[in-house]
Amino acid sequence: MIELSMDVEQYDCPFIDTTADHALTFSAVHWDFDRRTQELETRMVVEGADREELSVGLETLREHGNMNDCSLVARRDNVAQIRTVIAETDAMATIRSNDGYVTGPFYIEDGSEVWHVGFDASSEADSALSELDRNNEYEVVERTDTSLPEMGDLVQNAGAAMTLIEGCQDLSDTERETLEAAVSSGYFETPRDATLGSLADEFGVSKPAVSKNLRRGQRKMIHRVVTALDDIE
């Protein structure tokens, strides 16, 4: 399997066009391509620089010529979840015509889109890249040739990876920020480059408070790591 991570600028993509004009980011949660209608249905999380920018940006998105349907699922402040149906773009058609397939979520910001696509053979990947160059701008950020044993490892250990991700999601904002600060400042190094006192000063709290946040964060993550180790094949 050949997997490509690319930074793509499509000239006919509603999401890319919208982020070129408005301070929005789009993150794909779910996507499904209908071969019969040649349409891509997605569930996207949209974040605007503020509430007004989100509102204006979503209106621009709805009015785009390549947008067939756009409906609001939920919204809170400057973040929304939307359901969209767009016509097939030139780049999408190129990937599909060369037997390519999507291997990861889309992320769109500042007029470009991060794509993760796969091909069964190098010749298919090379052909797709050659054709993409005609009507789109792109940069291959990473190209990986994954062997069958490696693919098996990825599939078998997907559960362990999800356990670690869930552990990160369990952290409160304060716990995450405290752990990040402790690591970046060298608190866990030997000898330590930071102390509880310096961390407390950074966050403007007492040493017992920062110690409690550290312990809570560590306890949550260690529990998830031990669980993930049990899941690793």
Side-chain angles (χ1 to χ4, degrees), residues 98-159:
N98 287 279
D99 294 325
Y101 41 88
V102 176
T103 60
F106 311 102
Y107 181 79
I108 308 165
E109 184 178 22
D110 292 334
S112 67
E113 176 177 8
V114 177
W115 268 23
H116 303 283
V117 295
F119 300 87
D120 294 331
S122 292
S123 58
E124 295 170 345
D126 293 339
S127 176
L129 291 177
S130 178
E131 292 179 28
L132 274 177
D133 210 21
R134 299 173 189 170
N135 299 313
N136 303 273
E137 297 288 337
Y138 72 87
E139 176 186 357
V140 176
V141 179
E142 185 176 4
R143 177 169 177 151
T144 306
D145 185 352
T146 307
S147 66
L148 284 175
E150 290 172 332
M151 290 176 65
D153 287 342
L154 288 173
V155 173
Q156 290 175 358
N157 295 317

Side-chain angles (χ1 to χ4, degrees), residues 45-65:
V45 173
V46 193
E47 183 173 359
D50 52 44
R51 289 177 58 88
E52 179 63 22
E53 189 71 2
L54 176 63
S55 297
V56 174
L58 288 179
E59 187 60 31
T60 299
L61 183 69
R62 293 188 184 98
E63 294 175 354
H64 193 281

Side-chain angles (χ1 to χ4, degrees), residues 32-81:
D32 181 52
F33 186 78
D34 189 327
R35 293 178 180 272
R36 180 181 58 83
T37 62
Q38 305 292 291
E39 292 178 325
L40 179 71
E41 179 180 344
T42 63
R43 300 296 193 281
M44 308 284 280
V45 173
V46 193
E47 183 173 359
D50 52 44
R51 289 177 58 88
E52 179 63 22
E53 189 71 2
L54 176 63
S55 297
V56 174
L58 288 179
E59 187 60 31
T60 299
L61 183 69
R62 293 188 184 98
E63 294 175 354
H64 193 281
N66 214 22
M67 177 62 67
N68 294 349
D69 186 37
C70 179
S71 56
L72 183 66
V73 177
R75 174 171 177 165
R76 182 175 181 181
D77 296 328
N78 64 322
V79 180
Q81 182 181 357

Side-chain angles (χ1 to χ4, degrees), residues 4 9 30-31 53 62 74 101 110-111 126 150 156 183 189 227 232:
L4 302 176
E9 294 182 33
H30 174 267
W31 58 92
E53 189 71 2
R62 293 188 184 98
Y101 41 88
D110 292 334
D126 293 339
E150 290 172 332
Q156 290 175 358
V183 171
E189 300 295 329
T227 302
I232 291 177

Side-chain angles (χ1 to χ4, degrees), residues 1-39:
M1 173 183 170
I2 309 300
E3 184 168 13
L4 302 176
S5 295
M6 300 186 295
D7 193 330
V8 185
E9 294 182 33
Q10 301 183 70
Y11 302 134
D12 55 352
C13 175
F15 306 112
I16 290 178
D17 284 350
T18 301
T19 63
D21 298 326
H22 301 283
L24 299 182
T25 61
F26 293 91
S27 303
V29 177
H30 174 267
W31 58 92
D32 181 52
F33 186 78
D34 189 327
R35 293 178 180 272
R36 180 181 58 83
T37 62
Q38 305 292 291
E39 292 178 325

